[in-house]
Amino acid sequence: GENVEQHPSTLSVQEGDSAVIKCTYSDSASNYFPWYKQELGKRPQLIIDIRSNVGEKKDQRIAVTLNKTAKHFSLHITETQPEDSAVYFCAVGGYTGTASKLTFGTGTRLQVTL
Amino acid sequence: ETGVTQSPTHLIKTRGQQVTLRCSSQSGHNTVSWYQQALGQGPQFIFQYYREEENGRGNFPPRFSGLQFPNYSSELNVNALELDDSALYLCASSFPGTRPPGELFFGEGSRLTVL
C-alpha cells in the first residue's frame, strides 16, 4: 500500500517567517495531494490540494509544490501568523477496491512564536 | 461549517464492550468514509460506504463494521473493544468516487476512550 512520510515532526518559526513541510510518497500512480490543518481538539480541515497535472498551486499565503518524478510534495506558508499554529497533515489520494481513500502522513506540529 | 455531524462527541467504554458511532453526511454526499486517528498520529482509513455497501476497507479487523442507511447516514460499530481502540473516530463524506479522489469533508469526530 501507499506509504507517506512527513518531515519535520515539529517546526517552530517566528511570526513573519516562512514554514516548509515536506512529504514523500511511494505509489507513482497517486495523483491527488491534499494538505489538512488540525487545531487541538478539532477536525482536520482542508487548506489546499493539488492534482498531478500541475506542479504548483498557491492560495494567498499558502502554496503547495509537487514533484511527481521524485514523488514528493511540499507545503509552504509565508508570513506566518500565530493563528497558523496547528498540526499539519499531508495526504495522498488513492483507492482500495473501488473506495477512494486518503493515506495521511504523521503530521507536523507548527508553532509560530511572537 | 461542513455539514457532517457525528455523535456522540465523547464516550468512555471498558475493554470487551461494544460501541456504535453515528454520522450524518453533508447534504448531497452519498459516500461516507470512516477514519481512526490515534493520539499524535494521522487519520487511518477504516472503510467506505457507497449506496449502502462497503466498497473498500483498510487494515482493520472484522470487529470493525459499519452500515449506511438510505438517507446516507452511517454507523461504525466496534465489538470486543481493546485499549488500542482509544482514538478519535472521524467520519467524512464526499461525492461518489471519481478519479482522482475528491475532497473529503470531515465531521468533528467521536473521541472514544477504552479503559
Side-chain angles (χ1 to χ4, degrees):
Chain A
E2 179 71 82
N3 182 42
V4 180
E5 294 190 359
Q6 183 173 345
H7 300 280
S9 57
T10 60
L11 181 59
S12 182
V13 299
Q14 284 197 320
E15 184 180 8
D17 287 350
S18 295
V20 180
I21 303 170
K22 299 180 180 181
C23 287
T24 61
Y25 61 99
S26 58
D27 186 352
S28 57
S30 299
N31 50 19
Y32 177 60
F33 308 92
W35 285 89
Y36 284 82
K37 175 183 180 182
Q38 188 174 30
E39 297 176 357
L40 190 62
K42 302 289 188 181
R43 67 175 179 261
Q45 290 194 293
L46 179 72
I47 55 172
I48 196 167
D49 58 11
I50 192 168
R51 299 185 186 272
S52 60
N53 57 341
V54 298
E56 183 173 359
K57 183 177 179 181
K58 191 173 181 180
D59 182 3
Q60 300 183 342
R61 296 186 298 108
I62 295 173
V64 56
T65 57
L66 171 65
N67 184 328
K68 283 218 76 179
T69 302
K71 290 189 282 187
H72 68 71
F73 58 112
S74 300
L75 176 71
H76 304 254
I77 306 174
T78 59
E79 301 172 24
T80 53
Q81 302 168 2
E83 52 264 39
D84 294 330
S85 296
V87 179
Y88 292 81
F89 292 97
C90 63
V92 177
Y95 294 89
T96 295
T98 59
S100 59
K101 68 170 189 178
L102 295 180
T103 301
F104 285 82
T106 50
T108 297
R109 182 173 299 280
L110 173 65
Q111 183 165 4
V112 180
T113 58
L114 296 173
Chain B
E1 192 66 39
T2 66
V4 179
T5 58
Q6 292 186 242
S7 63
T9 55
H10 296 81
L11 69 167
I12 299 173
K13 294 284 188 178
T14 57
R15 274 186 304 173
Q17 285 189 313
Q18 178 266 345
V19 67
T20 297
L21 308 178
R22 296 178 174 83
C23 171
S24 294
S25 62
Q26 180 162 330
S27 177
H29 288 181
N30 59 6
T31 301
V32 174
S33 304
W34 287 91
Y35 286 75
Q36 180 196 64
Q37 186 177 23
L39 196 63
Q41 301 294 317
Q44 284 196 293
F45 176 72
I46 303 175
F47 44 55
Q48 183 180 84
Y49 277 81
Y50 173 60
R51 291 185 174 178
E52 302 176 50
E53 296 284 336
E54 181 184 302
N55 66 342
R57 169 180 283 260
N59 190 26
F60 282 82
R63 59 189 186 83
F64 285 78
S65 64
L67 285 172
Q68 186 181 31
F69 301 98
N71 65 353
Y72 308 139
S73 65
S74 177
E75 287 182 356
L76 165 65
N77 300 288
V78 187
N79 295 321
L81 285 167
E82 301 177 359
L83 296 179
D84 285 348
D85 296 334
S86 296
L88 180 67
Y89 288 85
L90 294 161
C91 170
S93 71
S94 59
F95 290 109
T98 56
R99 296 184 180 267
E103 179 179 353
L104 287 184
F105 295 85
F106 284 100
E108 292 288 356
S110 294
R111 184 164 299 282
L112 170 66
T113 301
V114 182
L115 302 177

